[in-house]
Amino acid sequence: MSSMVLVGLQWGDEGKGKIIDVLSEKADVVVRFQGGNNAGHTVEVGDQKFVLHLIPSGILHEGKDCMIGNGVVVDVLGLAEEIADLEKRGFSVADRLKLSTRCQLVFKYHRLLDGMSEAKLGEDKIGTTMRGIGPAYADKVNRVGIRGAALRDPVELEKLFRAQAARANDILAAHGVELMDVDAEWDLIKVAAGKLGPMVADTVLDVNNAFTAGKKILFEGAQGTWLDVDYGTYPYVTSSNTSSGAACTGGGLAPSRIDHVLGVYKAYTTRVGEGPFMTELDNAMGERIRMLGGEFGATTGRPRRCGWFDAVATRYAVMVNGADLLAITKLDVLDDLDTLKICVAYELNGQRIEDMPSDLAEIAAVAPIYEEMPGWRCSTKDAQCWEDLPEATRNYLNRITELTGGKIHILSVGPKRAQTFFVD
């Protein structure tokens, strides 16, 4: 690996944080390139559990440089709190983390606007995490956002913050929503800015200098392909591009300098929030998978919707991302199931289709066509190599990768760092 992009191939929650943690051991630099603290990467090291929202998972490996790239929207108070928590737990952060001068900053008024928008949508709500991500990206596109560079100049930051907070309060007032206490919020922000300001840098220059120096760079994505604002099940998506191309625009390295794209997917499928979910199991089997897999959001705690593996949607995601390598997670969750189902095609208007539709109405109208395979009915949690897996497990993995494309590079058979192994 000289440079690798890691992305999710489903609706997020694929276990990317753990895979990034494993790959970080071989990397020199880890760069987060999109999203905000609406994502949560969970990593278990020994008997400790870490949930990271903005800081790249590489921070858990001493000696690794980490960057929050220009494509990320950064909650100022959230990042300061995340850093403080890691430092309390014995990790050095301030000397290893850089924050892009170009990233957009998230403040309380973004969160209030997010909540107001969702409330107004009622039953048609998107199902956001209420972290202000959408309004922050909207400010970026509207060219009124506040960028990371302002953290280095408290006078300029206060001027910009107060102007945008006043604008937001006008909008909230017009909709009868409680206003933000601007003075109280600024008192919190100026303290956090004092801690974050020294970390602000031109990360685009830094990442390219690292590449030129021959360092190994890992680009860390958040959410998943089907939440991509362009390719996902729009409008039930996030507000950023979650696919591999965003590593170049949000991380600052040219496409010609990317060597591999590693796509992560679960051995089944989950989704959080609203929107179509083609293989959803809204029944006892879905609840069983949820409980076996501990399928509750790392950021919100919301129960995830669970379903069988969808090879049609995942194959499309592999194509869009150019994923040549695969990491498959949560294989152990299926250990006790007698029969497994794989969605190999859809039925739409009485016809069989094998490609993912691009129109939301058609996506919502499809019915999955399943192929069944026998389960293995034994534990895979202690497997350390491909040969340790039961034959039925290997058959299942071979079948789903045959359907999706890509080559298995990593398998995860449990939540801990040690329950992960390379296949090639």
Side-chain angles (χ1 to χ4, degrees):
M1 177 184 72
S2 178
S3 59
M4 175 183 283
V5 179
L6 184 145
V7 293
L9 297 176
Q10 296 166 319
W11 275 280
D13 309 309
E14 299 96 347
K16 295 182 296 298
K18 179 188 178 184
I19 303 302
I20 293 160
D21 173 63
V22 170
L23 290 172
S24 293
E25 189 172 1
K26 298 185 176 184
D28 300 304
V29 181
V30 185
V31 184
R32 170 78 178 273
F33 62 85
Q34 52 77 217
N37 64 340
N38 55 334
H41 286 166
T42 303
V43 180
E44 293 191 26
V45 183
D47 59 355
Q48 292 195 76
K49 182 177 181 179
F50 301 87
V51 181
L52 301 170
H53 300 282
L54 285 164
I55 300 175
S57 303
I59 206 72
L60 301 178
H61 291 269
E62 290 294 341
K64 309 296 181 179
D65 291 329
C66 294
M67 301 180 192
I68 297 176
N70 57 276
V72 182
V73 289
V74 176
D75 186 303
V76 174
L77 300 183
L79 178 57
E81 182 179 342
E82 199 169 321
I83 291 171
D85 180 66
L86 282 171
E87 289 179 339
K88 285 180 183 176
R89 299 173 75 172
F91 290 88
S92 61
V93 178
D95 59 333
R96 295 196 292 128
L97 179 66
K98 291 184 177 181
L99 177 65
S100 173
T101 52
R102 297 180 174 93
C103 69
Q104 295 285 317
L105 303 181
V106 180
F107 300 101
K108 184 176 182 178
Y109 60 79
H110 290 115
R111 297 193 294 274
L112 293 174
L113 291 170
D114 199 354
M116 180 194 75
S117 178
E118 282 286 86
K120 292 292 181 182
L121 288 171
E123 292 183 358
D124 295 324
K125 65 182 180 179
I126 303 300
T128 78
T129 58
M130 307 288 192
R131 299 299 177 98
I133 307 305
Y137 276 115
D139 278 359
K140 175 180 181 177
V141 175
N142 288 329
R143 293 162 292 185
V144 296
I146 304 172
R147 305 212 292 182
L151 292 168
R152 300 187 296 194
D153 185 343
V155 175
E156 179 69 6
L157 178 62
E158 182 175 10
K159 182 180 77 172
L160 294 171
F161 169 76
R162 287 187 179 277
Q164 292 307 312
R167 178 184 64 88
N169 268 348
D170 287 343
I171 297 171
L172 295 169
H175 289 84
V177 179
E178 184 177 352
L179 306 187
M180 180 181 67
D181 185 332
V182 177
D183 290 333
E185 193 65 16
W186 170 248
D187 287 341
L188 298 174
I189 291 166
K190 66 182 178 182
V191 174
K195 296 177 181 177
L196 300 179
M199 303 179 201
V200 175
D202 184 350
T203 56
V204 175
L205 184 60
D206 289 334
V207 76
N208 278 277
N209 285 340
F211 181 87
T212 302
K215 293 186 176 181
K216 296 178 180 179
I217 305 169
L218 175 63
F219 290 91
E220 171 182 327
Q223 289 94 27
T225 300
W226 289 111
L227 293 177
D228 186 286
V229 69
D230 282 301
Y231 301 114
T233 50
Y234 187 92
Y236 301 101
V237 293
T238 193
S239 302
S240 63
N241 288 110
T242 60
S243 45
S244 59
C248 299
T249 56
L253 197 66
S256 59
R257 293 184 162 188
I258 302 296
D259 294 318
H260 294 287
V261 175
L262 186 144
V264 186
Y265 60 69
K266 287 177 181 173
Y268 50 99
T269 312
T270 64
R271 175 167 197 169
V272 173
E274 309 302 318
F277 181 7
M278 296 73 79
T279 62
E280 183 171 11
L281 294 169
D282 190 14
N283 55 23
M285 178 58 75
E287 179 63 23
R288 184 178 180 187
I289 292 174
R290 181 181 299 115
M291 299 310 295
L292 287 170
E295 295 295 354
F296 300 89
T299 297
T300 63
R302 290 183 294 180
R304 296 176 185 140
R305 300 156 65 188
C306 298
W308 296 118
F309 184 78
D310 188 337
V312 180
T314 309
R315 179 167 61 247
Y316 197 99
V318 168
M319 175 190 71
V320 164
N321 288 286
D324 56 326
L325 300 175
L326 302 173
I328 302 177
T329 64
K330 293 215 165 184
L331 186 61
D332 56 297
V333 174
L334 304 180
D335 283 352
D336 293 330
L337 303 187
D338 294 314
T339 303
L340 307 175
K341 293 185 179 182
I342 304 168
C343 174
V344 296
Y346 300 142
E347 182 181 318
L348 177 64
N349 299 324
Q351 294 187 330
R352 179 188 175 104
I353 62 171
E354 296 186 358
D355 292 315
M356 179 76 171
S358 58
D359 180 79
L360 183 72
E362 291 186 344
I363 295 173
V366 301
I369 297 174
Y370 288 116
E371 175 180 296
E372 292 190 359
M373 294 191 72
W376 41 93
R377 297 290 297 164
C378 62
S379 176
T380 59
K381 294 181 180 180
D382 294 325
Q384 292 294 304
C385 64
W386 177 259
E387 290 72 21
D388 288 345
L389 297 171
E391 182 179 3
T393 311
R394 297 197 299 269
N395 290 340
Y396 179 75
L397 291 169
N398 284 333
R399 180 56 178 153
I400 62 175
T401 53
E402 175 187 35
L403 290 165
T404 63
K407 179 182 179 182
I408 300 176
H409 185 53
I410 300 174
L411 287 174
S412 171
V413 292
K416 298 187 181 301
R417 180 186 282 174
Q419 292 176 296
T420 318
F421 58 88
F422 290 86
V423 175
D424 55 356

